[in-house]
Amino acid sequence: MTPPISPWIIFLASIITSNMILANFLGMCSYLSVSTEYKTANGLGMAVTMVLVLTSALNWLVYEYVIVPLGLVYLQYIIFIMVIAALVQILEMAMDRFLPEMHAKLGIFLPLITVNCAILGATLFQVIRHYDFLQSVLFGLGSGLGWWLAIDMLAAMREKLAKVKLPPGVSGPALAFIITGVVAMAFIGFSGIFVIQ
Amino acid sequence: MDFMIVAKTVGSLALVSGVLAVIISIADKVLNNYGQCKLDINQGQKQLTVEGGSSLLSTLAGQKIFIPSACGGKATCGLCKVQVLSGVGAGQVLPTEEPYLSEKERAENYRLSCQIKVKSDMQLLIPEELFNIREFICELVELEDMTYDIKRLRLKLPPGEEISFKAGQFVQLYSKPYGKVKEEVFRAYSISSKASEKDHLELLVRLVPDGLCTTWVHTALKVGDQVRVSGPYGEFYLRGDCEELIMVAGGSGLAPIRSLVYDVIEKGLPHKMRFFFGANTVKDLYYMEEFARIEKDYPQFTFIPCVATPEAEANWQGETGFVTVALENQVDSGQGKEAYLCGSPGMLSACIRILKSKGFTSDTIFFDEF
């Protein structure tokens, strides 16, 4: 087992050096499809961050107090996904009730997030890396913020580039891949500042 | 041993999903409970007390106010617009609604009723004619072959109930599951009977190859069956701001035109009427004697059946060629005329092109497409 890492290191690393999209390439589907407009991308980023924090915390509890004691580790994937789906449902209802303004902005993204692999990915990383509760929550928060940062950057660039005349082969999704690749390479420059495994 | 593992797996998954299901349904009960809400429609014209928590569209449907919706609440058809003046959701357009609401509609507080949840008291404006829309469980009293592929349905409304519609409007007919089709589908059919006859409805249904609803009508439906319809709907009705009405129909598009012709005659309106009825072959023609009789009794009405390719043995004496040819040759200008068209999209666009070249405008051409 690795020696305990400070939760704050985990938090910063998951935003920058272990960015969900730019280092792990997780959650790419909605990242690519909902990044043509900055406004919507920002909404999705916010929703992903919120769900990531909550699922990281909840799935840590579920893993420690349900899955491990009952010897259900071989079913962890299914259970994690069910927990995520249920949480998103309840979150949507609660948001609709108590934060209608926010629901109007983010409500349509929530069902989309249920099947976003970054969410399940974060849960599985924290299990594999034996994070404790605080580490898990900060890892979830950092991963979410990192995802948000990446989609915001992509959307901002795509919005600018939409006004530019491009050769047909590099427009649309191709352009999104090129931008993502360049940004990911730029993020390699951060490597070595923080390391989490 | 293997059995134990299977049992444990199934048991734990059932348990976990059961627990989650219970939590969700409790959350639904607690969070989605908005209590009783008062809906005020058209400034006090109708006041309803309803249970909150569902979409406005389905809440209103539960109160027998049917807002038209073709997609069933998925925000893909944009038909279910209502004005929300106050209450939760007033003036707060969701991203899902944006494509369907113009600047002007947003300024006038239009929303898609399928996208708003009833959470508080609300003030709504709903177009007057939608109050007329109701659901009827009718009895099929006549089922007649008009041609080899068109059937006439005569439906009797439940005792004591009436439908008031404008000639030219349509109803939605709900099919029942039959054969391999396991679900109910609904399709729109124009009313072919007289608007003055309020306790019966007549529809003309042409068999569409592989059509779910038309196949049901043509193969499964029998006289005496219960048939569910809702309506009336539609913007295709007589404006009458002119001297002459040019009517064009193909196939079962005859239905609303028949209703319109009777409406003009029964109300004693002065309009001249010319009805161009297009058919591919002579055996596609129907209602010939009836329209010939109307033509004889009412000089204001002229009936012009056109057959594109008459069979040699039919000895066809009337107009030969597409209905568009007759239209081109016989209508001189759009001056003082309105056109009412009902038929296939191809026929409609060809007719509209000709009529526009004659001086008709979008304001004097009315059509119902199928």
Side-chain angles (χ1 to χ4, degrees), chain B residues 140-205:
Chain B
L140 183 70
V141 288
E142 289 171 32
L143 185 64
E144 185 193 356
D145 283 315
M146 304 304 286
T147 71
Y148 61 96
D149 68 347
I150 296 178
K151 274 188 198 289
R152 178 179 68 93
L153 281 69
R154 186 170 171 80
L155 304 166
K156 186 170 177 289
L157 266 60
E161 291 208 44
E162 287 192 341
I163 181 166
S164 51
F165 65 94
K166 293 181 193 157
Q169 288 192 302
F170 65 88
V171 291
Q172 280 177 341
L173 177 73
Y174 298 81
S175 75
K176 294 195 178 110
Y178 67 98
K180 281 185 193 148
V181 183
K182 296 279 178 273
E183 64 207 297
E184 180 187 85
V185 293
F186 64 84
R187 294 288 183 272
Y189 296 101
S190 296
I191 306 169
S192 65
S193 49
K194 301 171 186 176
S196 59
E197 190 183 27
K198 293 182 188 298
D199 53 352
H200 281 85
L201 285 174
E202 286 190 12
L203 311 175
L204 296 171
V205 180

Side-chain angles (χ1 to χ4, degrees), chain A residues 11-31:
Chain A
F11 173 69
L12 290 173
S14 56
I15 299 176
I16 299 169
T17 51
S18 300
N19 188 295
M20 270 291 165
I21 287 176
L22 300 170
N24 293 309
F25 295 94
L26 285 175
M28 291 296 283
C29 28
S30 35
Y31 167 78

Side-chain angles (χ1 to χ4, degrees), chain A residues 39-40 66 70-72 74-75 78-79 82-83 85-87 89-90 93-98 100-101 103-105 108-109, chain B residues 5 8-10 12-13 15-17 20 23-24 27-34 88 92-96 98 115 117 119:
Chain A
K39 209 179 116 201
T40 33
V66 179
L70 297 180
L72 298 175
Y74 66 106
L75 289 176
I78 301 177
I79 295 174
M82 288 200 292
V83 169
L87 178 86
Q89 283 250 326
I90 294 168
M93 283 189 259
M95 214 196 241
D96 195 9
R97 179 78 193 240
F98 301 113
E101 299 271 313
H103 184 260
K105 266 197 227 121
I108 52 165
F109 300 120
Chain B
I5 292 172
K8 184 182 166 193
T9 307
V10 173
S12 353
L13 284 181
L15 191 72
V16 172
S17 39
L20 289 173
I23 294 173
I24 289 178
D28 187 50
K29 280 258 158 35
V30 176
L31 295 173
N32 222 352
N33 177 9
Y34 294 91
V88 173
Q92 190 186 43
V93 174
L94 295 178
T96 42
E98 276 169 10
Q115 297 297 299
K117 213 190 246 186
K119 294 187 204 166

Side-chain angles (χ1 to χ4, degrees), chain A residues 158-180:
Chain A
R158 282 183 86 170
E159 215 168 67
K160 282 240 149 83
L161 286 170
K163 298 185 181 78
V164 179
K165 212 165 173 215
L166 291 163
V170 294
S171 57
L175 182 68
F177 274 110
I178 294 170
I179 297 173
T180 308

Side-chain angles (χ1 to χ4, degrees), chain B residues 53-248:
Chain B
S54 308
S55 80
L56 184 58
L57 179 70
S58 57
T59 307
L60 288 173
Q63 299 293 322
K64 302 277 174 209
I65 296 174
F66 297 98
I67 311 289
S69 162
C71 67
K74 294 193 281 283
T76 56
C77 73
L79 287 178
C80 62
K81 289 173 194 169
V82 299
Q83 279 166 288
V84 181
L85 300 183
S86 76
V88 173
Q92 190 186 43
V93 174
L94 295 178
T96 42
E97 298 169 75
E98 276 169 10
Y100 303 100
L101 298 173
S102 66
E103 287 294 325
K104 186 165 171 281
E105 285 172 326
R106 286 180 213 188
E108 289 170 355
N109 292 317
Y110 274 97
R111 300 287 311 272
L112 296 188
S113 61
C114 68
Q115 297 297 299
I116 336 172
K117 213 190 246 186
V118 177
K119 294 187 204 166
S120 67
D121 296 355
M122 296 171 101
Q123 273 185 304
L124 308 169
L125 288 184
I126 296 175
E128 196 71 36
E129 56 268 23
L130 294 184
F131 275 124
N132 261 331
I133 297 176
R134 283 167 49 207
E135 193 178 76
F136 303 95
I137 308 290
C138 302
E139 186 193 338
L140 183 70
V141 288
E142 289 171 32
L143 185 64
E144 185 193 356
D145 283 315
M146 304 304 286
T147 71
Y148 61 96
D149 68 347
I150 296 178
K151 274 188 198 289
R152 178 179 68 93
L153 281 69
R154 186 170 171 80
L155 304 166
K156 186 170 177 289
L157 266 60
E161 291 208 44
E162 287 192 341
I163 181 166
S164 51
F165 65 94
K166 293 181 193 157
Q169 288 192 302
F170 65 88
V171 291
Q172 280 177 341
L173 177 73
Y174 298 81
S175 75
K176 294 195 178 110
Y178 67 98
K180 281 185 193 148
V181 183
K182 296 279 178 273
E183 64 207 297
E184 180 187 85
V185 293
F186 64 84
R187 294 288 183 272
Y189 296 101
S190 296
I191 306 169
S192 65
S193 49
K194 301 171 186 176
S196 59
E197 190 183 27
K198 293 182 188 298
D199 53 352
H200 281 85
L201 285 174
E202 286 190 12
L203 311 175
L204 296 171
V205 180
R206 191 176 79 85
L207 179 66
V208 178
D210 298 324
L212 295 178
C213 197
T214 64
T215 309
W216 172 72
V217 168
H218 277 256
T219 60
L221 199 59
K222 294 185 303 294
V223 169
D225 284 354
Q226 303 262 298
V227 177
R228 188 155 76 90
V229 297
S230 71
Y233 303 96
E235 301 293 315
F236 185 69
Y237 51 80
L238 184 72
R239 307 308 199 274
D241 196 11
C242 61
E243 284 145 31
E244 184 173 7
L245 309 173
I246 302 294
M247 298 155 158
V248 187

